[in-house]
Short mmCIF file of all heavy atoms in Angstrom, two decimals:
data_model
loop_
_atom_site.label_atom_id
_atom_site.label_comp_id
_atom_site.label_asym_id
_atom_site.label_seq_id
_atom_site.Cartn_x
_atom_site.Cartn_y
_atom_site.Cartn_z
N THR O 46 -6.26 -95.65 25.13
CA THR O 46 -6.43 -96.71 24.13
C THR O 46 -7.52 -96.40 23.23
O THR O 46 -8.61 -95.84 23.67
CB THR O 46 -6.74 -98.06 24.85
OG1 THR O 46 -7.81 -98.05 25.59
CG2 THR O 46 -5.46 -98.54 25.68
N ILE O 47 -7.38 -96.67 22.01
CA ILE O 47 -8.43 -96.44 20.99
C ILE O 47 -8.83 -97.85 20.28
O ILE O 47 -8.00 -98.52 19.87
CB ILE O 47 -8.02 -95.47 19.89
CG1 ILE O 47 -7.70 -94.08 20.51
CG2 ILE O 47 -9.05 -95.26 18.78
CD1 ILE O 47 -7.19 -93.07 19.53
N LEU O 48 -10.09 -98.14 20.49
CA LEU O 48 -10.59 -99.38 19.84
C LEU O 48 -11.60 -98.98 18.84
O LEU O 48 -12.63 -98.33 19.07
CB LEU O 48 -11.17 -100.17 20.88
CG LEU O 48 -11.79 -101.53 20.64
CD1 LEU O 48 -10.81 -102.57 20.00
CD2 LEU O 48 -12.43 -102.14 21.77
N VAL O 49 -11.38 -99.44 17.62
CA VAL O 49 -12.40 -99.36 16.57
C VAL O 49 -13.02 -100.63 15.99
O VAL O 49 -12.18 -101.53 15.74
CB VAL O 49 -11.80 -98.58 15.35
CG1 VAL O 49 -12.86 -98.04 14.35
CG2 VAL O 49 -10.97 -97.34 15.82
N GLY O 50 -14.32 -100.71 16.05
CA GLY O 50 -15.00 -101.93 15.49
C GLY O 50 -15.33 -102.97 16.46
O GLY O 50 -15.18 -102.72 17.69
N ASP O 52 -14.20 -106.41 16.65
CA ASP O 52 -13.39 -107.48 16.84
C ASP O 52 -13.32 -107.97 18.26
O ASP O 52 -12.71 -107.20 19.12
CB ASP O 52 -12.07 -107.24 16.23
CG ASP O 52 -11.10 -108.42 16.25
OD1 ASP O 52 -11.65 -109.54 16.42
OD2 ASP O 52 -9.87 -108.27 16.39
N PRO O 53 -13.84 -109.06 18.60
CA PRO O 53 -13.83 -109.43 20.13
C PRO O 53 -12.50 -109.75 20.60
O PRO O 53 -12.22 -109.29 21.80
CB PRO O 53 -14.64 -110.84 20.11
CG PRO O 53 -14.93 -111.17 18.73
CD PRO O 53 -14.49 -110.17 17.79
N ALA O 54 -11.53 -110.18 19.79
CA ALA O 54 -10.15 -110.36 20.35
C ALA O 54 -9.52 -109.06 20.62
O ALA O 54 -8.88 -108.91 21.70
CB ALA O 54 -9.26 -111.15 19.27
N SER O 55 -9.73 -108.02 19.75
CA SER O 55 -9.12 -106.67 19.96
C SER O 55 -9.72 -106.12 21.28
O SER O 55 -9.04 -105.52 22.11
CB SER O 55 -9.49 -105.74 18.91
OG SER O 55 -8.84 -106.23 17.69
N ALA O 56 -11.16 -106.30 21.54
CA ALA O 56 -11.69 -105.75 22.79
C ALA O 56 -11.12 -106.49 23.99
O ALA O 56 -10.89 -105.83 24.99
CB ALA O 56 -13.22 -106.05 22.74
N THR O 57 -10.82 -107.81 23.88
CA THR O 57 -10.18 -108.46 24.99
C THR O 57 -8.78 -107.95 25.29
O THR O 57 -8.36 -107.64 26.36
CB THR O 57 -10.11 -110.04 24.69
OG1 THR O 57 -11.42 -110.43 24.32
CG2 THR O 57 -9.55 -110.76 25.85
N TYR O 58 -7.98 -107.71 24.23
CA TYR O 58 -6.64 -107.17 24.36
C TYR O 58 -6.65 -105.82 25.07
O TYR O 58 -5.81 -105.58 25.95
CB TYR O 58 -5.89 -107.04 23.04
CG TYR O 58 -5.63 -108.35 22.34
CD1 TYR O 58 -5.65 -108.45 21.00
CD2 TYR O 58 -5.25 -109.55 23.02
CE1 TYR O 58 -5.38 -109.66 20.30
CE2 TYR O 58 -5.04 -110.68 22.30
CZ TYR O 58 -5.06 -110.72 21.05
OH TYR O 58 -4.84 -111.91 20.42
N VAL O 59 -7.62 -104.96 24.62
CA VAL O 59 -7.68 -103.65 25.23
C VAL O 59 -8.07 -103.66 26.74
O VAL O 59 -7.43 -103.03 27.60
CB VAL O 59 -8.75 -102.68 24.51
CG1 VAL O 59 -9.04 -101.46 25.28
CG2 VAL O 59 -8.14 -102.43 23.11
N LYS O 62 -4.96 -104.83 28.54
CA LYS O 62 -3.90 -103.70 28.74
C LYS O 62 -4.48 -102.74 29.77
O LYS O 62 -3.65 -102.30 30.59
CB LYS O 62 -3.79 -103.06 27.32
CG LYS O 62 -3.03 -103.89 26.33
CD LYS O 62 -2.99 -103.52 24.90
CE LYS O 62 -2.31 -104.43 24.09
NZ LYS O 62 -2.49 -104.11 22.67
N ILE O 103 -0.58 -92.87 23.66
CA ILE O 103 -1.76 -93.20 22.76
C ILE O 103 -1.54 -94.51 22.08
O ILE O 103 -0.53 -94.61 21.41
CB ILE O 103 -2.11 -92.07 21.77
CG1 ILE O 103 -2.25 -90.70 22.45
CG2 ILE O 103 -3.27 -92.42 20.91
CD1 ILE O 103 -2.26 -89.50 21.48
N LEU O 104 -2.51 -95.41 22.26
CA LEU O 104 -2.40 -96.69 21.57
C LEU O 104 -3.70 -97.03 20.84
O LEU O 104 -4.76 -97.01 21.20
CB LEU O 104 -2.28 -97.79 22.62
CG LEU O 104 -2.21 -99.28 22.02
CD1 LEU O 104 -0.79 -99.52 21.60
CD2 LEU O 104 -2.74 -100.27 22.95
N ILE O 105 -3.45 -97.21 19.43
CA ILE O 105 -4.54 -97.62 18.57
C ILE O 105 -4.42 -99.08 18.36
O ILE O 105 -3.45 -99.53 17.92
CB ILE O 105 -4.44 -96.89 17.17
CG1 ILE O 105 -4.49 -95.41 17.36
CG2 ILE O 105 -5.56 -97.35 16.25
CD1 ILE O 105 -4.24 -94.61 16.02
N GLN O 106 -5.53 -99.78 18.89
CA GLN O 106 -5.41 -101.24 18.92
C GLN O 106 -5.60 -101.71 17.39
O GLN O 106 -6.41 -101.30 16.68
CB GLN O 106 -6.53 -101.80 19.66
CG GLN O 106 -6.70 -103.36 19.76
CD GLN O 106 -5.37 -103.99 20.45
OE1 GLN O 106 -4.94 -103.44 21.45
NE2 GLN O 106 -4.91 -105.05 19.92
N HIS O 107 -4.74 -102.60 16.99
CA HIS O 107 -4.81 -103.19 15.64
C HIS O 107 -5.60 -104.39 15.67
O HIS O 107 -5.55 -105.10 16.80
CB HIS O 107 -3.31 -103.60 14.98
CG HIS O 107 -2.19 -102.94 15.49
ND1 HIS O 107 -1.56 -101.98 14.66
CD2 HIS O 107 -1.47 -102.87 16.68
CE1 HIS O 107 -0.47 -101.59 15.27
NE2 HIS O 107 -0.39 -102.03 16.55
N PRO O 108 -6.26 -104.87 14.66
CA PRO O 108 -6.43 -104.19 13.38
C PRO O 108 -7.59 -103.16 13.63
O PRO O 108 -8.49 -103.30 14.34
CB PRO O 108 -6.73 -105.25 12.43
CG PRO O 108 -7.39 -106.30 13.30
CD PRO O 108 -6.95 -106.22 14.68
N VAL O 109 -7.59 -102.12 12.72
CA VAL O 109 -8.73 -101.23 12.60
C VAL O 109 -9.46 -101.60 11.32
O VAL O 109 -8.88 -102.20 10.38
CB VAL O 109 -8.29 -99.77 12.54
CG1 VAL O 109 -7.76 -99.30 13.88
CG2 VAL O 109 -7.39 -99.39 11.43
N PRO O 110 -10.74 -101.51 11.22
CA PRO O 110 -11.51 -101.83 9.96
C PRO O 110 -10.84 -101.33 8.71
O PRO O 110 -10.37 -100.23 8.69
CB PRO O 110 -12.90 -101.30 10.27
CG PRO O 110 -13.06 -101.13 11.74
CD PRO O 110 -11.61 -100.77 12.12
N LYS O 115 -5.31 -96.44 8.27
CA LYS O 115 -4.65 -96.73 9.58
C LYS O 115 -3.29 -95.91 9.56
O LYS O 115 -2.91 -95.34 10.67
CB LYS O 115 -4.30 -98.16 9.60
CG LYS O 115 -3.57 -98.75 10.79
CD LYS O 115 -3.45 -100.27 10.81
CE LYS O 115 -2.49 -100.72 9.72
NZ LYS O 115 -2.31 -102.20 9.70
N ARG O 116 -2.60 -95.82 8.44
CA ARG O 116 -1.26 -95.07 8.43
C ARG O 116 -1.49 -93.55 8.87
O ARG O 116 -0.81 -93.02 9.65
CB ARG O 116 -0.81 -95.18 7.06
CG ARG O 116 0.60 -94.54 6.70
CD ARG O 116 1.74 -94.71 7.74
NE ARG O 116 1.99 -96.00 8.33
CZ ARG O 116 2.72 -96.20 9.45
NH1 ARG O 116 3.13 -95.19 10.14
NH2 ARG O 116 2.81 -97.42 9.95
N ALA O 118 -3.90 -92.40 10.75
CA ALA O 118 -4.12 -92.39 12.24
C ALA O 118 -2.86 -92.49 12.96
O ALA O 118 -2.58 -91.79 13.96
CB ALA O 118 -5.18 -93.51 12.54
N PHE O 119 -2.00 -93.37 12.52
CA PHE O 119 -0.70 -93.56 13.29
C PHE O 119 0.09 -92.29 13.14
O PHE O 119 0.75 -91.85 14.22
CB PHE O 119 0.06 -94.75 12.65
CG PHE O 119 -0.43 -96.07 13.02
CD1 PHE O 119 -0.01 -97.14 12.24
CD2 PHE O 119 -1.30 -96.35 13.99
CE1 PHE O 119 -0.54 -98.52 12.50
CE2 PHE O 119 -1.79 -97.66 14.33
CZ PHE O 119 -1.37 -98.61 13.53
N ILE O 122 -0.34 -89.53 15.78
CA ILE O 122 0.17 -89.66 17.10
C ILE O 122 1.49 -88.97 17.24
O ILE O 122 2.41 -89.18 16.50
CB ILE O 122 0.32 -91.12 17.49
CG1 ILE O 122 -0.97 -91.91 17.32
CG2 ILE O 122 0.85 -91.23 18.98
CD1 ILE O 122 -0.82 -93.44 17.51
N ASP O 127 3.80 -91.67 21.20
CA ASP O 127 3.74 -92.80 20.39
C ASP O 127 4.35 -93.92 21.10
O ASP O 127 5.50 -94.31 20.87
CB ASP O 127 4.41 -92.47 19.10
CG ASP O 127 4.39 -93.68 18.13
OD1 ASP O 127 3.52 -94.59 18.39
OD2 ASP O 127 4.86 -93.60 17.08
N ILE O 128 3.72 -94.51 22.08
CA ILE O 128 4.24 -95.55 22.94
C ILE O 128 4.36 -96.93 22.35
O ILE O 128 4.84 -97.88 23.04
CB ILE O 128 3.57 -95.63 24.33
CG1 ILE O 128 2.11 -95.48 24.35
CG2 ILE O 128 4.04 -94.42 25.27
CD1 ILE O 128 1.39 -96.47 23.55
N ASP O 129 3.87 -97.11 21.09
CA ASP O 129 4.07 -98.43 20.41
C ASP O 129 4.96 -98.13 19.05
O ASP O 129 4.95 -99.04 18.33
CB ASP O 129 2.73 -98.96 20.02
CG ASP O 129 2.83 -100.44 19.78
OD1 ASP O 129 3.92 -101.10 20.04
OD2 ASP O 129 1.94 -101.04 19.25
N GLY O 130 5.47 -96.98 18.97
CA GLY O 130 6.49 -96.79 17.88
C GLY O 130 5.84 -97.06 16.52
O GLY O 130 6.50 -97.63 15.57
N VAL O 131 4.66 -96.62 16.35
CA VAL O 131 3.94 -96.98 15.12
C VAL O 131 4.07 -95.82 14.02
O VAL O 131 3.84 -96.08 12.86
CB VAL O 131 2.47 -97.22 15.33
CG1 VAL O 131 2.24 -98.51 16.05
CG2 VAL O 131 1.70 -96.03 16.08
N SER O 132 4.39 -94.65 14.53
CA SER O 132 4.54 -93.50 13.47
C SER O 132 5.78 -93.68 12.68
O SER O 132 6.70 -94.31 13.06
CB SER O 132 4.42 -92.11 14.09
OG SER O 132 5.58 -92.01 14.99
N SER O 148 8.68 -100.03 19.24
CA SER O 148 7.47 -100.88 19.04
C SER O 148 7.51 -102.05 20.14
O SER O 148 8.60 -102.65 20.40
CB SER O 148 7.59 -101.55 17.68
OG SER O 148 6.54 -102.29 17.36
N CYS O 149 6.39 -102.15 20.77
CA CYS O 149 6.35 -102.94 22.06
C CYS O 149 6.78 -104.50 21.82
O CYS O 149 7.60 -105.00 22.67
CB CYS O 149 5.06 -102.97 22.70
SG CYS O 149 4.45 -101.33 23.17
N THR O 150 6.28 -105.20 20.82
CA THR O 150 6.55 -106.62 20.67
C THR O 150 8.04 -106.76 20.49
O THR O 150 8.65 -107.53 21.23
CB THR O 150 5.69 -107.36 19.65
OG1 THR O 150 4.32 -107.01 20.14
CG2 THR O 150 5.82 -108.72 19.61
N PRO O 151 8.63 -106.22 19.42
CA PRO O 151 9.93 -106.49 19.26
C PRO O 151 10.87 -105.99 20.37
O PRO O 151 11.93 -106.65 20.66
CB PRO O 151 10.46 -105.69 17.87
CG PRO O 151 9.29 -104.82 17.64
CD PRO O 151 8.08 -105.31 18.33
N SER O 176 5.77 -107.00 8.96
CA SER O 176 4.73 -105.98 9.28
C SER O 176 5.44 -104.80 9.98
O SER O 176 6.43 -104.93 10.58
CB SER O 176 3.67 -106.61 10.25
OG SER O 176 4.16 -106.76 11.46
N PRO O 177 4.86 -103.67 9.88
CA PRO O 177 5.42 -102.45 10.42
C PRO O 177 5.58 -102.47 11.93
O PRO O 177 6.24 -101.69 12.45
CB PRO O 177 4.62 -101.33 9.94
CG PRO O 177 3.61 -101.89 8.91
CD PRO O 177 3.60 -103.34 9.13
N ILE O 178 4.70 -103.20 12.61
CA ILE O 178 4.71 -103.27 14.11
C ILE O 178 5.57 -104.34 14.58
O ILE O 178 5.85 -104.44 15.73
CB ILE O 178 3.20 -103.39 14.61
CG1 ILE O 178 2.57 -104.72 14.17
CG2 ILE O 178 2.41 -102.22 14.36
CD1 ILE O 178 1.69 -105.36 15.15
N LEU O 179 5.87 -105.32 13.80
CA LEU O 179 6.60 -106.43 14.31
C LEU O 179 7.82 -106.83 13.54
O LEU O 179 8.93 -106.50 14.00
CB LEU O 179 5.55 -107.57 14.40
CG LEU O 179 5.81 -108.50 15.64
CD1 LEU O 179 4.68 -109.56 15.82
CD2 LEU O 179 7.12 -109.27 15.69
N THR O 271 5.15 -108.11 25.69
CA THR O 271 4.59 -107.02 24.87
C THR O 271 3.84 -106.04 25.74
O THR O 271 3.95 -104.87 25.69
CB THR O 271 3.60 -107.50 23.78
OG1 THR O 271 4.37 -108.30 22.87
CG2 THR O 271 2.93 -106.37 23.00
N LEU O 275 4.70 -102.19 26.95
CA LEU O 275 3.84 -101.01 26.69
C LEU O 275 3.65 -100.18 27.93
O LEU O 275 3.77 -99.05 27.88
CB LEU O 275 2.41 -101.70 26.24
CG LEU O 275 1.23 -100.66 26.20
CD1 LEU O 275 1.37 -99.68 25.08
CD2 LEU O 275 -0.16 -101.41 26.24
#
Side-chain angles (χ1 to χ4, degrees):
T46 56
I47 298 179
L48 176 64
V49 189
D52 178 27
S55 295
T57 305
Y58 293 143
V59 166
K62 286 168 184 171
I103 302 171
L104 178 84
I105 302 174
Q106 181 64 40
H107 330 254
V109 294
K115 182 174 69 177
R116 180 48 43 204
F119 287 162
I122 303 176
D127 184 7
I128 39 65
D129 199 13
V131 291
S132 63
S148 184
C149 295
T150 303
S176 73
I178 57 139
L179 214 173
T271 297
L275 172 72

